[in-house]
Amino acid sequence: MHDIYDLDRVVDRHGTYCTQWDYVADRFGHADLLPFTISDMDFETAPCIRQTLATRLEHGVFGYSRWNHDDFKGAVSNWFASRYGASLDPDTLVYGPSVIYVIAQLVSLWSAPGEGVLVHTPAYDAFGNMLAANDRVLLPCPLKKEQGSYHIDWTSFEQQAARPDCRILLLCSPHNPTGRVWTRDELGRMAAICQRHGVKVISDDIHMDVSFARYLPWSEVAPDDHWALVSSGSKSFNIPALGGAYAFIANAEARAAYLQ
């Protein structure tokens, strides 16, 4: 049976406390604007997701629940296996309330105040805000625009990675806001440079499922276990208000420290 997606039906989101439509004036100073800057959609959520939620609601009790079981972890690792042919170990998976929360925790674990985090720019604004709030220094590597696409400035990238205060590469893969889907060659080159200079990698892959080019998870190029892949179903399935993210944290000690 196939779900029917009615993408023509207009859903009025006013009065639902939605960022996109209810807080236009709060964000831009004027209420009579069309907001095109928030990454959620005005389409209804897929019928299969709504049906699953409805079934769970019918149970009627919403007490304390656990995530550390095969239903949750298997669903995520199986998604990567079936969709990308990537084998990510479910034993390395952890839950988090949001992608940016998990990243902030890892940044705190893997660097000290005043130390640097390498970021391709332009970057998602929450990266800069989060790093500043945690007293970390954003080390920019500006992407070069050539032939209608964005490319890594490898000289700049290696210079920043080689800095003694550079502890982490905060990678956005695929990249927000340029839309670049990194190739295997690009990911492998970044991995080699980071390993050479002792830079750990946090890969934010929240836009992985909405790419046209072939997306490759960081796990497929990682030369060691000094990395984490952080993501969520929120962009793929338009469910950010439901909350919830996850991370594969390859190193056992780092994983234990995050959970602690």
Side-chain angles (χ1 to χ4, degrees), residues 37-258:
T37 65
I38 203 83
S39 29
D40 71 9
M41 296 173 259
D42 292 331
F43 299 130
E44 285 187 336
T45 299
C48 53
I49 295 175
R50 289 156 61 202
Q51 182 56 56
T52 303
L53 285 170
T55 302
R56 179 61 182 89
L57 287 172
E58 284 302 308
H59 178 273
V61 179
F62 312 105
Y64 290 107
S65 305
R66 298 285 177 104
W67 57 266
N68 195 1
H69 49 73
D70 290 342
D71 275 352
F72 174 71
K73 297 197 288 189
V76 179
S77 57
N78 288 343
W79 181 262
F80 278 87
S82 62
R83 195 170 171 93
Y84 304 114
S87 53
L88 282 131
D89 184 354
D91 290 338
T92 67
L93 191 73
V94 298
Y95 169 85
S98 74
V99 164
I100 206 75
Y101 172 89
V102 177
I103 293 171
Q105 295 300 317
L106 291 169
V107 164
S108 296
L109 287 169
W110 287 350
S111 64
E115 290 187 328
V117 176
L118 176 52
V119 177
H120 291 297
T121 56
Y124 172 42
D125 60 354
F127 283 0
N129 296 340
M130 175 272 296
L131 292 173
N134 283 291
D135 194 24
R136 297 325 193 256
V137 179
L138 191 156
L139 303 176
C141 179
L143 296 171
K144 298 184 296 187
K145 191 172 186 180
E146 294 165 354
Q147 292 106 41
S149 184
Y150 288 87
H151 301 275
I152 295 168
D153 180 338
W154 291 107
T155 304
S156 164
F157 185 85
E158 179 129 26
Q159 283 174 345
Q160 296 287 45
R163 287 175 56 131
D165 61 336
C166 182
R167 291 282 173 261
I168 298 164
L169 164 64
L170 175 47
L171 179 66
C172 197
S173 176
H175 187 259
N176 175 17
T178 68
R180 264 309 311 279
V181 182
W182 306 117
T183 64
R184 181 181 286 273
D185 284 350
E186 288 170 320
L187 291 168
R189 198 166 169 186
M190 284 189 268
I193 291 171
C194 287
Q195 188 186 42
R196 187 153 65 240
H197 298 292
V199 174
K200 293 182 169 69
V201 178
I202 302 170
S203 188
D204 171 358
D205 296 29
I206 198 167
H207 291 97
M208 63 193 195
D209 297 318
V210 290
S211 60
F212 291 105
R214 183 165 175 80
Y215 151 83
L216 193 72
W218 184 261
S219 55
E220 302 306 286
V221 301
D224 53 36
D225 66 355
H226 298 307
W227 58 273
L229 188 158
V230 192
S231 195
S232 163
S234 66
K235 301 299 182 200
S236 308
F237 303 106
N238 200 38
I239 51 171
L242 294 179
Y246 58 82
F248 290 95
I249 303 176
N251 180 277
E253 287 178 13
R255 199 161 58 249
Y258 168 80

